[in-house]
């Protein structure tokens, strides 16, 4: 297989037009670009299909941008997989040149690239974040399965600016994690509960 030319193409799992289901921009008209490739390995990952980059087509950046423009969304969300496995400079430059507002969802496990209007940082214990993410964070969102994730959340919160909004999100399949998150937020007023409304609504 030829090496991907990241200046012109990126490996893509899917694109779709929906609403942002989580965080500060919840409910916003959004065009999603899901990049292929992830080496973080979260056991509860709901997008394992994205992990193997070789299983997904390389799509021209110009075509992705045209699709996003055509959808006419309020925001474009670059997600994955782990999007920072790829150099996002060209994609974000082209999207912004069209006047689009560009958001990123990342575990921060690879060096930062690209220009964004909003960065959702969701650090994972399975592959620790690269130092370059911490000055880019717009909101912090930590998935909680057990108590160790609360320590992990605080460790990462200590490295981001004080005014960044911090969310805890219970792991969808683990019912005990819902209580853990609720109790923690009730006793730590600087944290908020994150809810995956797209799953409640039955949309993507
Ligand atoms: Fe899945 Fe995201 Fe974890 Fe990668 S970082 S394994 S895509 S949940």
């Amino acid at each position: 297989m030829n090496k991907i030319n990241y200046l012109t193409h990126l490996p893509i799992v899917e694109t779709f037009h929906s609403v942002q289901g989580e965080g500060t921009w919840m409910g916003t008209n959004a065009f999603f670009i899901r990049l292929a490739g992830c080496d973080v390995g979260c056991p509860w990952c709901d997008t394992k299909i994205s992990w193997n980059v070789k299983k997904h087509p390389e799509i021209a950046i110009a075509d992705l941008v045209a699709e996003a423009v055509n959808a006419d969304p309020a925001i474009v969300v670059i997600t994955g997989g782990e999007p920072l496995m790829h150099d996002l400079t060209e994609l974000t430059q082209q999207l912004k040149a069209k006047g689009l507002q560009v958001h990123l969802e990342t575990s921060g496990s690879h060096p930062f690239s690209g220009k964004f209007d909003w960065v959702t940082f969701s650090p994972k214990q399975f592959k620790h974040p690269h130092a370059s993410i911490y000055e880019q964070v717009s909101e912090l969102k930590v998935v909680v399965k057990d108590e160790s994730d609360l320590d992990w959340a605080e460790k990462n919160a200590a490295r981001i600016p004080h005014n960044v909004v911090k969310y805890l999100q219970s792991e969808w399949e683990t019912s005990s994690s819902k209580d853990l998150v609720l109790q923690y937020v009730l006793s730590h007023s600087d944290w908020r509960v994150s809810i995956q409304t797209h799953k409640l609504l039955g949309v993507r």
Side-chain angles (χ1 to χ4, degrees):
M1 186 179 176
N2 292 332
K3 203 166 163 38
I4 298 171
N5 181 350
Y6 290 106
L7 284 178
T8 59
H9 290 68
L10 284 165
I12 299 296
V13 177
E14 60 179 347
T15 57
F16 59 98
H17 192 191
S18 185
V19 291
Q20 172 57 284
E22 305 171 7
T24 306
W25 292 82
M26 184 176 68
T28 305
N29 177 331
F31 183 77
F32 290 81
I33 299 175
R34 187 184 303 286
L35 273 81
C38 186
D39 59 358
V40 178
C42 307
W44 36 258
C45 177
D46 59 6
T47 50
K48 285 183 177 153
I49 190 174
S50 69
W51 287 8
N52 187 344
V53 75
K54 292 182 184 155
K55 290 196 170 161
H56 300 282
E58 299 157 26
I59 307 283
I61 289 173
D63 291 345
L64 293 169
V65 173
E67 241 193 292
V69 168
N70 195 40
D72 193 23
I75 56 175
V76 177
V77 181
I78 313 294
T79 188
E82 175 39 69
L84 287 177
M85 284 183 77
H86 312 287
D87 186 342
L88 302 177
T89 308
E90 186 63 27
L91 175 62
T92 55
Q93 267 176 6
Q94 288 197 28
L95 288 168
K96 290 184 77 59
K98 296 290 184 186
L100 291 163
Q101 186 170 166
V102 188
H103 292 198
L104 174 67
E105 296 180 335
T106 180
S107 69
S109 56
H110 289 262
F112 196 84
S113 63
K115 281 228 177 296
F116 294 91
D117 300 287
W118 189 265
V119 175
T120 301
F121 173 44
S122 187
K124 305 296 188 318
Q125 298 199 59
F126 311 103
K127 181 167 180 167
H128 286 205
H130 187 269
S132 57
I133 187 67
Y134 289 101
E135 61 189 21
Q136 305 288 342
V137 181
S138 311
E139 67 180 1
L140 173 66
K141 184 185 69 185
V142 180
V143 176
V144 174
K145 182 168 182 172
D146 57 39
E147 300 255 359
S148 75
D149 295 315
L150 297 171
D151 287 344
W152 174 245
E154 292 292 2
K155 277 192 184 110
N156 281 279
R159 298 185 64 179
I160 59 173
H162 191 62
N163 58 349
V164 167
V165 180
K166 302 180 292 184
Y167 292 96
L168 297 176
Q169 182 172 293
S170 61
E171 198 278 303
W172 188 258
E173 305 285 339
T174 313
S175 57
S176 59
S177 67
K178 294 185 183 69
D179 271 349
L180 205 54
V181 165
L182 189 59
Q183 290 312 318
Y184 198 81
V185 169
L186 288 177
S187 56
H188 298 79
S189 58
D190 52 333
W191 288 90
R192 299 183 191 181
V193 176
S194 168
I195 297 172
Q196 293 181 290
T197 52
H198 53 294
K199 290 188 178 174
L200 295 174
L201 290 170
V203 299
R204 304 171 79 195

